[in-house]
Amino acid sequence: MKAPIKIFSGSNSEYLAGEIAKAAGLQLGKSSITRFSDGEFEVCYEETVRGAQVFIIQSTYPPTDNLMELLLMIDAAKRASAYKVIAVIPYFGFARQDRKDRPRVAIGAKLVANLLMAAGVDRVMTMDLHADQIQGFFDIPVDHLYGSSVLLPYIENLKLDNLVVASPDMGGSKRANTYAKYLNAGLAICHKSREKANVVGEMTAIGDVDGRHVVIVDDMIDTAGTITKAANMLKEKGALSVRAIATHAVLSGPAYERIKESALEEVVFTDSIPLKKEVSKIKELTIADIFAKTILNVYNCESISSNFIL
């Protein structure tokens, strides 16, 4: 007899989890969280999970409480005799800490992988990791999905002539090159120097953008310093329009104000992280369908590669 499937949500991803469950033709499971006055909290499943394949949907942004909540939900499911526990993490927090880039720093992404495995997770499903090698930090299967599945069709539907795909920095050049090849577009790369974390110094562009429509692609936008500086610089170099697309709308600090005041015509995100404000320049595309299809494919032991565009 096949194990039943159950989908639950952490408190940070309730809307997305509800849309994923609906797209999969399932009901979202019932769970609760009790908070104590000192900040400690306790999670509880309000229905049986015994013998079930349990999918827990939770983006870990902001990272600390949401990660801890996810770990507790995994532990609770294992202790309640779930057959398999799969963590569905649309946005994987701490992914920027994927290596020792200077002395005496932690590799946060590896620590999070260790914590998830110690909690008892059997599989991880995520989207657009900041660094692909994080998949190798796990000793369990990792399904790495791509935001391009919804972002590329959006760009194609814009039907822009003289399109150039730009990377906001050297690190994103591989992603931008992949998009440019798929769209048969030109390529530009912005080169930046950082004064310190989240602060961009000088920026220049490699590639011709004069008289072209430019789409900047990235995996996430945090304070929006890099993306808005790049957009303003590209407009000064003669770009007809500048848009940005990114999978994860981290958008911390002055990000919303920077986007509003920048030369960006629009910024397109997926709904991996809930938006905090409504801004006319910001558009959101849902990833519920791709996660629903992947969850059902994994549950039915079917290939998930058909869900990818790139």
Side-chain angles (χ1 to χ4, degrees), residues 230-245:
N232 295 340
M233 180 264 296
L234 292 168
K235 281 290 282 186
E236 288 170 7
K237 288 186 174 291
L240 294 178
S241 68
V242 183
R243 292 171 170 81
I245 62 168

Side-chain angles (χ1 to χ4, degrees), residues 36-106:
F36 301 100
S37 60
D38 66 347
E40 183 182 335
F41 53 87
E42 176 185 74
V43 301
C44 178
Y45 293 98
E46 301 295 336
E47 59 187 80
T48 183
V49 296
R50 184 177 296 274
Q53 285 200 44
V54 175
F55 292 81
I56 305 168
I57 301 170
Q58 174 84 312
S59 282
T60 52
Y61 176 81
T64 46
D65 275 8
N66 290 303
L67 174 60
M68 192 65 196
E69 185 181 324
L70 176 60
L71 294 170
L72 289 172
M73 291 185 78
I74 293 167
D75 185 72
K78 295 297 283 189
R79 293 178 187 278
S81 301
Y83 171 60
K84 296 276 187 185
V85 180
I86 298 93
V88 181
I89 312 173
Y91 172 74
F92 188 96
F94 292 98
R96 283 173 282 188
Q97 299 179 47
D98 62 299
R99 65 197 184 281
K100 283 192 70 172
D101 54 357
R102 55 196 175 95
R104 299 175 295 282
V105 296

Side-chain angles (χ1 to χ4, degrees), residues 165 167 172-183 185 187 217:
V165 176
S167 170
S173 57
K174 180 182 175 183
R175 180 185 299 104
N177 185 50
T178 303
Y179 272 69
K181 283 183 177 178
Y182 182 89
L183 296 165
L187 177 66
V217 299

Side-chain angles (χ1 to χ4, degrees), residues 31-220:
S31 61
S32 63
I33 180 167
T34 303
R35 296 190 179 274
F36 301 100
S37 60
D38 66 347
E40 183 182 335
F41 53 87
E42 176 185 74
V43 301
C44 178
Y45 293 98
E46 301 295 336
E47 59 187 80
T48 183
V49 296
R50 184 177 296 274
Q53 285 200 44
V54 175
F55 292 81
I56 305 168
I57 301 170
Q58 174 84 312
S59 282
T60 52
Y61 176 81
T64 46
D65 275 8
N66 290 303
L67 174 60
M68 192 65 196
E69 185 181 324
L70 176 60
L71 294 170
L72 289 172
M73 291 185 78
I74 293 167
D75 185 72
K78 295 297 283 189
R79 293 178 187 278
S81 301
Y83 171 60
K84 296 276 187 185
V85 180
I86 298 93
V88 181
I89 312 173
Y91 172 74
F92 188 96
F94 292 98
R96 283 173 282 188
Q97 299 179 47
D98 62 299
R99 65 197 184 281
K100 283 192 70 172
D101 54 357
R102 55 196 175 95
R104 299 175 295 282
V105 296
I107 304 180
K110 173 58 176 168
L111 176 59
V112 171
N114 289 346
L115 289 169
L116 288 164
M117 289 187 292
V121 75
D122 295 290
R123 190 182 196 103
V124 169
M125 195 178 294
T126 188
M127 177 171 274
D128 278 344
L129 288 166
H130 188 65
D132 289 347
Q133 66 265 24
I134 292 171
Q135 296 170 77
F137 293 175
F138 291 88
D139 296 323
I140 55 174
V142 175
D143 299 309
H144 187 205
L145 309 183
Y146 296 95
S148 57
S149 300
V150 295
L151 296 171
L152 272 172
Y154 180 83
I155 298 172
E156 287 180 301
N157 289 335
L158 292 174
K159 300 188 185 325
L160 297 171
D161 295 325
N162 297 320
L163 178 64
V164 169
V165 176
S167 170
D169 52 35
M170 299 299 288
S173 57
K174 180 182 175 183
R175 180 185 299 104
N177 185 50
T178 303
Y179 272 69
K181 283 183 177 178
Y182 182 89
L183 296 165
N184 194 27
L187 177 66
I189 299 171
C190 302
H191 180 264
K192 67 182 179 183
S193 60
R194 281 204 182 274
E195 293 178 0
K196 57 183 179 179
N198 290 133
V199 178
V200 180
E202 295 298 317
M203 179 173 282
T204 58
I206 304 167
D208 181 22
V209 297
D210 188 23
R212 315 287 286 273
H213 294 285
V214 181
V215 175
I216 306 172
V217 299
D218 210 347
D219 63 318
M220 70 170 75

Side-chain angles (χ1 to χ4, degrees), residues 61 63 91 96 130 192 194 197-199 218-228 246 248-259 267 269 273 276 282:
Y61 176 81
Y91 172 74
R96 283 173 282 188
H130 188 65
K192 67 182 179 183
R194 281 204 182 274
N198 290 133
V199 178
D218 210 347
D219 63 318
M220 70 170 75
I221 296 177
D222 188 352
T223 61
T226 297
I227 215 87
T228 54
H248 308 299
V250 177
L251 299 182
S252 63
Y256 286 93
E257 287 68 30
R258 283 175 173 171
I259 289 171
V267 185
F269 295 105
I273 297 173
K276 304 181 195 75
I282 296 178

Side-chain angles (χ1 to χ4, degrees), residues 7-42:
I7 296 180
F8 293 90
S9 172
S11 58
N12 188 49
S13 299
E14 288 178 351
Y15 174 77
L16 178 58
E19 293 300 302
I20 291 172
K22 189 189 300 181
L26 300 167
Q27 290 290 324
L28 193 62
K30 295 178 181 177
S31 61
S32 63
I33 180 167
T34 303
R35 296 190 179 274
F36 301 100
S37 60
D38 66 347
E40 183 182 335
F41 53 87
E42 176 185 74

